Amino acid sequence: MQTDQQSLDAKLIDVAKRAGCSPATVSRVLNNNPSVGVAARERVLKAAADLGYVPNGSARALRSTRSRLVGAVIPTLDHAIYATMVNSLQARLAEKDVSIIISTSFYDIDMEWEQVRLLVERGIESIILVGSIHRPETIALLEQRKIAYVFTYTSASTDIGAAVGFDNEKAGRMAARYLLDLGHTKIAMIAGITENNDRAATRRDGFVAELEKQGIPRANIAVLESAYKIEAGRNAMKRLMERTDRPTAVFCGSDIIAAGVIKYCHENQIAVPNDISVLGFDNLEIAELTTPDLTTVEVPAREMGTLAGDYLLATSAQRQHMRQRELPLRLVVRASTAPMAR
């Protein structure tokens, strides 16, 4: 009978053959040894991905028991955008003595793939990801290894994976309807960076679609993109206000961007909300620290983390009824928005 070690070594040899190098070189690449050249490293990583090979030292050491480890790859730890979700997830898992390893991808799906690969190597049993756009290799690896995965901040699941989150298109439409109900017709959006970010892209698309549905031509809807940073939001607002047809209301893809927008307005004697209404997204703590405090769309982050944890702790049979959860959003009205002045 072939042992686990023999099986792993055989797979490593297969990777070496496919990459046209020695097993020792494969081992060095997979252990991040810097002595291997770029070209050889790329050949090895591609061969490993093609064959679905990830060394799993943790699995070898713990093959007689479960690892009790969950992985989570989130885009960033800046500004607590994902902190509430992760905190509630961790608290739920801790109730059952399950530990969590957290990694960040900086909104880069290639980096996310590397982080997922490393987490699989460490022996995780399941994983939390953000959004529905990922490298095909990432999902293929998880499904091949039968590692349960849950998408968060989206309600779009796969045939195998689960999703616990909300509908970002509906969120964009909610924001548009609110500003329209206040009487605004010159409305702009400063979205997050939409490349490889399904959340930011569908939020933008829902916002624009709702405005068009209510008779506002697409050409009259200014849409800019900004990183989730205060200064980036400030700079985006500067570009927006340099336009000849200034908006009277702006929807920001995050509270962080909105804080930058309000900062720009203060610096340039633009009154919020008398001259321009500002609407954020997330309902982070910073929303109550701006002047005026920020009207925003609240994301159900705490509930999202708890329910994602519930899914990962459930049995396979229970999971069949928990694979897709769409959570409601809530508009939190504060002082940064007001009816359009007549």
Side-chain angles (χ1 to χ4, degrees), residues 1 30 70 147 162 215 222-223 281:
M1 180 181 292
L30 296 178
V70 168
I147 294 172
V223 177
F281 190 87

Side-chain angles (χ1 to χ4, degrees), residues 30-324:
L30 296 178
N31 285 287
N32 294 314
N33 190 313
S35 66
V36 182
V38 174
R41 174 181 171 79
E42 289 180 353
R43 289 201 311 275
V44 169
L45 292 176
K46 184 178 187 307
D50 290 345
L51 295 172
Y53 174 70
V54 175
N56 197 337
S58 299
R60 289 198 301 272
L62 300 170
R63 59 182 175 268
S64 63
T65 186
R66 297 178 64 191
S67 69
R68 309 293 289 172
L69 279 177
V70 168
V73 183
I74 60 175
T76 181
L77 290 172
D78 288 345
H79 304 300
I81 293 175
Y82 298 101
T84 301
M85 186 275 287
V86 171
N87 285 344
S88 63
L89 168 66
Q90 181 170 297
R92 182 68 183 95
L93 296 174
E95 292 173 9
K96 300 297 182 180
D97 296 322
V98 176
S99 299
I100 185 169
I101 303 175
I102 301 168
S103 299
T104 54
S105 66
F106 301 100
Y107 296 94
D108 183 333
I109 62 173
D110 294 328
M111 184 176 290
E112 180 190 66
W113 153 246
E114 291 293 333
Q115 295 299 322
V116 169
R117 187 179 65 80
L118 291 171
L119 288 169
V120 170
E121 183 177 344
R122 290 190 181 190
I124 60 164
E125 295 177 349
S126 52
I127 193 166
I128 297 288
L129 301 173
V130 172
S132 59
I133 293 182
H134 310 276
R135 276 181 53 167
E137 298 93 332
T138 300
I139 304 305
L141 172 63
L142 297 174
E143 294 183 353
Q144 183 182 54
R145 292 300 183 92
K146 294 182 169 52
I147 294 172
Y149 61 92
V150 182
F151 296 159
T152 56
Y153 288 84
T154 178
S155 55
S157 61
T158 69
D159 291 339
I160 295 175
V164 177
F166 54 92
D167 188 320
N168 282 279
E169 181 184 359
K170 287 182 181 177
R173 288 182 179 275
M174 174 190 287
R177 284 195 299 271
Y178 171 67
L179 295 176
L180 287 166
D181 287 346
L182 290 177
H184 295 280
T185 56
K186 295 180 179 180
I187 305 174
M189 180 177 184
I190 303 177
I193 305 299
T194 58
E195 183 180 8
N196 290 327
N197 186 328
D198 54 287
R199 289 91 58 209
T202 52
R203 209 173 298 152
R204 172 205 62 199
D205 294 346
F207 182 76
V208 170
E210 187 65 26
L211 293 180
E212 288 185 300
K213 179 182 175 182
Q214 301 303 323
I216 298 179
R218 178 63 182 86
N220 293 355
I221 307 168
V223 177
L224 282 67
E225 295 190 5
S226 166
Y228 295 133
K229 296 182 180 296
I230 291 175
E231 192 61 20
R234 176 189 173 279
N235 292 336
M237 187 60 172
K238 179 177 184 295
R239 298 199 311 275
L240 193 60
M241 299 308 283
E242 287 172 347
R243 298 166 64 97
T244 54
D245 191 20
R246 288 185 170 190
T248 62
V250 58
F251 171 44
C252 302
S254 80
D255 292 343
I256 304 302
I257 294 174
V261 165
I262 291 175
K263 179 182 179 182
Y264 175 84
C265 291
H266 285 325
E267 293 171 345
N268 292 273
Q269 292 75 54
I270 300 170
V272 178
N274 293 338
D275 294 331
I276 188 163
S277 286
V278 180
L279 173 61
F281 190 87
D282 282 322
N283 197 24
L284 304 178
E285 285 188 353
I286 197 173
E288 296 185 85
L289 300 177
T290 59
T291 304
D293 50 353
L294 183 65
T295 297
T296 187
V297 178
E298 183 177 74
V299 168
R302 185 170 287 102
E303 187 178 4
M304 202 182 331
T306 299
L307 291 175
D310 287 344
Y311 177 85
L312 296 181
L313 294 171
T315 65
S316 296
Q318 290 170 331
R319 286 176 179 173
Q320 297 303 313
H321 307 288
M322 304 167 66
R323 286 192 53 253
Q324 191 166 25

Side-chain angles (χ1 to χ4, degrees), residues 318-336:
Q318 290 170 331
R319 286 176 179 173
Q320 297 303 313
H321 307 288
M322 304 167 66
R323 286 192 53 253
Q324 191 166 25
R325 292 293 301 271
E326 181 181 334
L327 305 177
L329 297 159
R330 183 171 74 98
L331 184 67
V332 180
V333 178
R334 298 192 180 101
S336 68

